[in-house]
Each structure stands twice: as C-alpha cells, then as structure tokens.
Amino acid sequence: MRKNLFILNLILLFAIPVTLSAQRKNAKYVAYIDKYSDLAVEQMKLHKIPASITLAQGLLESAAGQSKLATKSNNHFGIKCGSSWKGRTVRHHDDARNECFRAYKNVRDSYEDHSLFLAKGARYAFLFKLDKTDYKGWAKGLKKAGYATDRSYANRLISIIEDYELYKYDQQKKSKNKKKEKVVIVNIHPTYTANGLVYIKARKGDTFKSIGKEFDISWKKLIKYNDLHEGYTLMSGDIIYLKKKNKKASKEYSVYTVKEGDSMHTISQKYGIRLKNLYKMNKKDDEYIPEVGDRLKVR
C-alpha cells in the first residue's frame, strides 16, 4: 500500500509542472498568435522587425485583440495620433484622459503602420542594427526609446515571447544550397514607402518571379499591383509596389504638373495610385498621352 502511495506521489509530483505549464497558456493568446503570426512574419520580411516582437506587442497592447482600441478601432499597438497622422482618430483614456489614438480600417493596416512607425522613427533607428533574432535586445530597446511608460515593459514582452515560444517565428528557413542563400542575402532589396504603401526599386537582372520569391508574394500579383503585363521586362529603378495601390494620392498631394519623360503609368507609380483611377479622376481614356505642362489630379 505504501509502495503504491509512493508511486502515486511521484506521478503527481512530475505532473504538476506540466499542469502549471498548460495553465500558463492563455487560450485567447494562443488564438491571437494563430490568427496573426503570418501577418507578423510578413511584416518582418518587409521591415526587418522581429515577428516575435510584433506579436508580443500586439498581444500586450491589445489584450490579445480584446481591448476597446482593438475591437472598435483596429489599433493593436496603442499608437497615439502624433502630429504626422492624417488618418482617422479615436479618443481613449490612457496616461491622460481622452488622448488621441490612431484608428484603422482593418488589423492589417494597424500592423503595417506599427512597422512604419518604428522604421521611420529616428529614436528607434538603433534597433534596426540588431539581429532580428535578438528579441531581448529589441524589447529592452523599445523601452529605452520610450515606446511605453511601463517600467516592466521589456520584461513583459520577453516573458510573452518565451512563454509562447514566439521566437520561433523569427527563424527563417535556410536554403539547402548555401551558395544560393548567400546570393539572396547580398541582393536583398531595401524597402521604401509612398502613399502608405511599401515598394522597392528594381535592379538590373530582377524579374517579377525573383522579387516575388524574396518577399514571398505571388509574382502574378506583383504584375497586377503595378499595372504591368507578363511580357514587361523590369528596368533598373522601376518602382514595384508589394501590395495593391490606392485609389488616390495621400492628402498632401492634389495636382501634378507633367514633366519631360512622364507617362500616366510613371505618375501612377510615383504617387502609389491605381492607373485606372488616375485616368478616371482626370476624365481621360487609356489613349491619352500626357504632355509637358499638363496638370493632372492625383486625388
């Protein structure tokens, strides 16, 4: 009897850590990770921000997507308006009452704006010198740069990353062909933004397929996003958007004066506008060829 009791105690002793570990996994956190991990990895490829950091901040700032800011305004990162924000806003109590926060059409826009907020912010520039697998360095750096006033912010991010093994999303699969892998790393394209959209500049030898492979985007979608056709040969300096362009230019632009060498397509690429919308807002058909001095609406 005592022997059986001893064995039972041993079983319970070893079962306790497993039970506690299972209890630490918040179901809402797990669901959030399952839903948005691909989006975080996509942002990492575009902007070089660790997916683990993006996910941990999203979880923490939005209460796993359950906060009022997240449910009502799709703001998953607690980003306040700031003087440069021209989009929709919402008022919310935070460090002070009725503070101004950014509001988004969807969660994807929130993730994209979070990446741009960090990439464009001078105070966060030092973070991009860190390896994308250095989630501890990023967490501590975000706190140091003043992303949040919470003194334990860095530790909370690190705990979430380690408890839910988010660091695994920072690991990119290595190619079996080492020589090919080196070439990809050397030729990685820097990203730019226009009209709230991410784009790259094509280089000699680029194809839609090679760019699509680098950014994990369908090459056929790239052609469609950029109002081009399959037979088009990319030229050095061509602007290539990585997502669908907008219907009109950003608010600071309204009219464009045509210059030497301009075409409707180059203008649409310059301002991140869909070509058909550029024709439409100027009441032109696709046979129209702009001449130097023509004034065209861009929004």
Side-chain angles (χ1 to χ4, degrees), residues 47 49 113-122 124-125 128:
H47 301 286
I49 300 166
D113 188 52
H114 168 260
S115 296
L116 295 176
F117 180 77
L118 295 181
K120 289 183 175 181
Y124 301 112
F128 291 85

Side-chain angles (χ1 to χ4, degrees), residues 60-78:
L60 185 57
E61 297 286 349
S62 76
Q66 304 300 306
S67 71
K68 188 174 180 180
L69 266 179
T71 56
K72 300 292 185 182
S73 309
N74 290 313
N75 187 332
H76 279 231
F77 299 93

Side-chain angles (χ1 to χ4, degrees), residues 189-190 192 199-208 211 232-241:
H189 289 78
Y192 309 90
Y199 71 89
I200 64 159
K201 292 182 180 178
R203 296 187 294 218
K204 185 177 180 181
D206 279 343
T207 64
F208 290 113
I211 294 171
Y232 181 81
T233 300
L234 288 171
M235 299 177 64
S236 181
D238 279 348
I239 290 174
I240 301 297
Y241 287 95

Side-chain angles (χ1 to χ4, degrees), residues 4-185:
N4 290 338
L5 186 60
F6 175 73
I7 293 171
L8 180 60
N9 284 333
L10 277 178
I11 292 171
L12 289 172
L13 181 63
F14 285 105
I16 288 172
V18 175
T19 305
L20 289 175
S21 177
Q23 288 176 345
R24 289 176 69 186
K25 300 290 185 182
N26 184 314
K28 290 180 180 179
Y29 272 44
V30 173
Y32 185 96
I33 294 163
D34 288 342
K35 190 172 184 178
Y36 298 117
S37 58
D38 287 347
L39 188 52
V41 170
E42 176 187 296
Q43 291 299 309
M44 178 177 69
K45 290 178 179 179
L46 291 173
H47 301 286
K48 319 308 175 191
I49 300 166
S52 61
I53 286 291
T54 300
L55 279 171
Q57 284 195 281
L59 284 162
L60 185 57
E61 297 286 349
S62 76
Q66 304 300 306
S67 71
K68 188 174 180 180
L69 266 179
T71 56
K72 300 292 185 182
S73 309
N74 290 313
N75 187 332
H76 279 231
F77 299 93
I79 300 179
K80 296 178 183 178
C81 298
S83 59
S84 63
W85 180 246
K86 306 298 181 184
R88 196 163 59 89
T89 64
V90 66
R91 292 286 171 175
H92 182 73
H93 300 331
D94 192 50
D95 295 327
R97 292 180 60 82
N98 290 320
E99 288 193 89
C100 184
F101 285 84
R102 301 180 183 188
Y104 308 95
K105 291 181 181 178
N106 50 56
V107 177
R108 176 177 287 276
D109 285 351
S110 177
Y111 268 68
E112 178 70 18
D113 188 52
H114 168 260
S115 296
L116 295 176
F117 180 77
L118 295 181
K120 289 183 175 181
R123 59 178 171 161
Y124 301 112
F126 71 96
L127 290 170
F128 291 85
K129 296 177 182 179
L130 300 175
D131 192 285
K132 66 175 179 291
T133 61
D134 185 8
Y135 63 86
K136 290 183 179 179
W138 270 83
K140 293 174 182 176
L142 284 168
K143 175 63 186 77
K144 181 180 179 181
Y147 190 98
T149 55
D150 180 1
R151 292 184 180 181
S152 62
Y153 192 73
N155 290 334
R156 293 176 73 185
L157 289 180
I158 293 169
S159 293
I160 291 171
I161 290 170
E162 294 181 345
D163 287 348
Y164 292 88
E165 300 179 342
L166 301 184
Y167 45 76
K168 66 185 180 183
Y169 295 108
D170 300 335
Q171 307 294 329
Q172 290 185 323
K173 294 180 180 179
K174 294 183 178 180
S175 170
K176 292 180 181 179
N177 189 325
K178 293 184 179 179
K179 290 184 179 179
K180 286 186 178 179
E181 184 181 356
K182 288 181 180 178
V183 172
V184 171
I185 293 172

Side-chain angles (χ1 to χ4, degrees), residues 204-242:
K204 185 177 180 181
D206 279 343
T207 64
F208 290 113
K209 288 184 178 180
S210 66
I211 294 171
K213 187 175 181 181
E214 180 179 336
F215 291 96
D216 195 23
I217 302 172
S218 163
W219 63 273
K220 289 186 177 180
K221 284 186 178 180
L222 285 177
I223 292 172
K224 188 175 181 180
Y225 292 161
N226 292 278
D227 298 306
L228 294 168
H229 56 84
E230 289 191 24
Y232 181 81
T233 300
L234 288 171
M235 299 177 64
S236 181
D238 279 348
I239 290 174
I240 301 297
Y241 287 95
L242 304 181

